[in-house]
Amino acid sequence: MSVSGKLDRRALPAPDLAHVAGRRLARTPQEEILCALFAEVLGLERVGIDDNFFALGGHSLLATRLISRIRSTLNADIAIRSLFEAPTVEKLVERLGADRADQSPLETLLPLRPSGKLPPLFCIHPGGGLSWSYSGLLAHLPIDCPVYGLQARGITQPEMAPRTLEEMAADYVVSVRQVQPKGPFHLLGWSFGGLVAQAMATQLQDAGETVSLLALLDSYPIERPDRAQDETAIDDARLLANQLKALGYYSGDEPLQISGALNILRRKGDMLSNLEEHQVYAVIQVLKQNSGLARNFVPQRFHGDVLLFAATQGDSRPEPDKWKSYVDGRISVYEMNCEHEHMTRPIPLARIGRVLANEFEKLSKALK
């Protein structure tokens, strides 16, 4: 303190950040969202779930800004007092009620933002079965738009893994209608999830429902399965190595055991590093099963327009003609300057979110 009794900021020691190397990373999509918001407001690259907002340089002005970002992203009403009383992500997520003990982040229906007046956006998982990566959309969609992820039932209930992609789509339609009994429905899917979203859309239409938004993230039907990569024939260790290579996390040639893959994910700060070994094993099996489902899937005809976000980098290239036999309406193609595996990274998601937000605005005006 200074002689006048005020805080002498120049006399403060430099912060001790030695604990950063051992910080705990986000374990759920809700924690991931809050970690990202903490880091954004504080101007940091990364924040762990145990990091104290105020110990990292937060103050009342930044606290107000953080509360505002939480409200606008999660549509959650929270008082600034809660942040003072629960200044870490782990404690704050409990105040939000977003991480109840009875709500596993691996369950089939994943509420990313369950509140809002608009029809929800349902996001279907890619081949690995998890929908956590869609949490990055929240910051770019209207605050009144609820967002849910659909995740592979085989991760927690392997005995209930579907035999066909159509069977999976029918199962997810039941979950969707528990949240939203009647249309119009909004569906989005990345990669394998795009095939499931299209199948759900046609099943809903066959039931007399309206699907006013179908968005596909670099997703195409497999027209020549004899030439397509069959991941069901790859052993688990090689498949793990291939997946981490695709993410840019691994450059070696050797197959990876689950423990080694988790170590790499931890070093990279990936949220999936919080999975346990048996859960990673389940994800691998789901990935292999879904590869087989995709190879045997023949889409039905969808009556309506489609938004196709097409990756253009690496081995990816737009192939909208593959959908022409299965879509009656217009296929609007948005080329994305990224690789297929990076479609749900922050920059691509920001553009995808802007396009979706514009579509929601058009749909809202059309209903008035």
Side-chain angles (χ1 to χ4, degrees):
M1 307 297 288
S2 68
V3 293
S4 62
K6 295 183 179 180
L7 179 65
D8 186 354
R9 295 185 178 278
R10 290 176 298 179
L12 289 173
D16 179 10
L17 300 179
H19 69 287
V20 169
R23 65 159 48 111
R24 290 196 298 157
L25 303 175
R27 302 161 298 182
T28 68
Q30 290 80 14
E31 287 182 349
E32 178 78 358
I33 295 166
L34 286 179
C35 281
L37 294 178
F38 270 49
E40 173 192 321
V41 170
L42 292 167
L44 300 175
E45 181 178 349
R46 187 178 300 161
V47 171
I49 63 172
D50 301 308
D51 291 333
N52 187 299
F53 178 78
F54 299 100
L56 292 177
H59 48 72
S60 58
L61 181 60
L62 290 180
T64 302
R65 189 177 304 168
L66 176 62
I67 294 298
S68 175
R69 292 291 290 119
I70 291 173
R71 287 172 176 165
S72 63
T73 301
L74 290 171
N75 197 16
D77 190 16
I78 183 170
I80 194 167
R81 174 177 172 174
S82 295
L83 180 60
F84 290 124
E85 295 174 347
T88 68
V89 166
E90 183 177 42
K91 293 179 179 178
L92 192 59
V93 78
E94 296 173 359
R95 297 294 184 98
L96 295 175
D99 192 32
R100 299 191 308 268
D102 63 342
Q103 191 179 83
S104 166
L106 298 177
E107 289 300 319
T108 303
L109 185 66
L110 177 69
L112 294 171
R113 183 167 64 197
S115 60
K117 299 177 182 178
L118 298 175
L121 174 66
F122 294 96
C123 304
I124 294 82
H125 62 81
L130 294 172
S131 293
W132 298 4
S133 58
Y134 294 122
S135 61
L137 274 175
L138 299 186
H140 310 289
L141 297 179
I143 187 60
D144 276 341
C145 177
V147 181
Y148 291 84
L150 274 300
Q151 303 191 124
R153 196 173 292 280
I155 295 177
T156 56
Q157 299 170 294
E159 72 282 359
M160 296 186 67
R163 293 163 297 181
T164 66
L165 191 145
E166 292 87 349
E167 184 179 309
M168 176 184 286
D171 179 28
Y172 292 169
V173 165
V174 172
S175 294
V176 163
R177 296 191 108 168
Q178 290 174 350
V179 176
Q180 181 188 358
K182 294 291 183 181
F185 292 97
H186 299 159
L187 304 174
L188 175 147
W190 171 32
S191 191
F192 173 81
L195 303 181
V196 182
Q198 197 271 353
M200 292 171 65
T202 58
Q203 290 182 14
L204 285 166
Q205 287 184 335
D206 288 345
E209 295 290 353
T210 299
V211 178
S212 55
L213 179 81
L214 177 58
L216 309 177
L217 276 54
D218 210 44
S219 176
Y220 306 98
I222 299 175
E223 296 180 340
R224 296 182 298 276
D226 57 312
R227 297 186 183 181
Q229 181 184 20
D230 183 6
E231 291 176 329
T232 62
I234 304 176
D235 66 84
D236 293 356
R238 176 56 62 187
L239 183 56
L240 261 179
N242 291 347
Q243 291 299 306
L244 265 65
K245 275 187 176 182
L247 292 171
Y249 292 166
Y250 182 60
S251 58
D253 295 322
E254 296 299 317
L256 285 172
Q257 299 304 315
I258 292 177
S259 58
L262 283 172
N263 286 334
I264 293 173
L265 290 169
R266 291 186 187 108
R267 289 199 299 271
K268 295 297 183 180
D270 194 288
M271 186 168 58
L272 296 180
S273 65
N274 290 292
L275 293 175
E276 298 178 13
E277 289 197 15
H278 73 277
Q279 294 169 333
V280 176
Y281 176 79
V283 168
I284 295 170
Q285 304 318 307
V286 163
L287 182 61
K288 296 173 77 169
Q289 292 162 4
N290 287 344
S291 176
L293 298 186
R295 290 166 61 82
N296 295 312
F297 172 62
V298 178
Q300 299 302 304
R301 198 163 187 83
F302 174 69
H303 306 290
D305 298 335
V306 168
L307 303 180
L308 176 61
F309 297 89
T312 61
Q313 299 302 304
D315 296 330
S316 304
R317 66 183 187 278
E319 299 181 287
D321 287 350
K322 285 189 173 183
W323 282 113
K324 283 189 175 179
S325 299
Y326 311 113
V327 175
D328 271 349
R330 183 177 68 255
I331 302 174
S332 299
V333 181
Y334 296 87
E335 295 191 354
M336 308 295 294
N337 187 28
C338 67
E339 298 181 27
H340 173 83
E341 292 80 7
H342 300 164
M343 287 292 287
T344 57
R345 289 193 172 180
I347 292 177
L349 276 185
R351 186 184 177 204
I352 292 168
R354 288 194 296 270
V355 173
L356 294 177
N358 288 335
E359 289 297 317
F360 289 143
E361 185 177 356
K362 293 177 186 176
L363 293 172
S364 296
K365 289 180 178 178
L367 292 174
K368 293 180 180 179

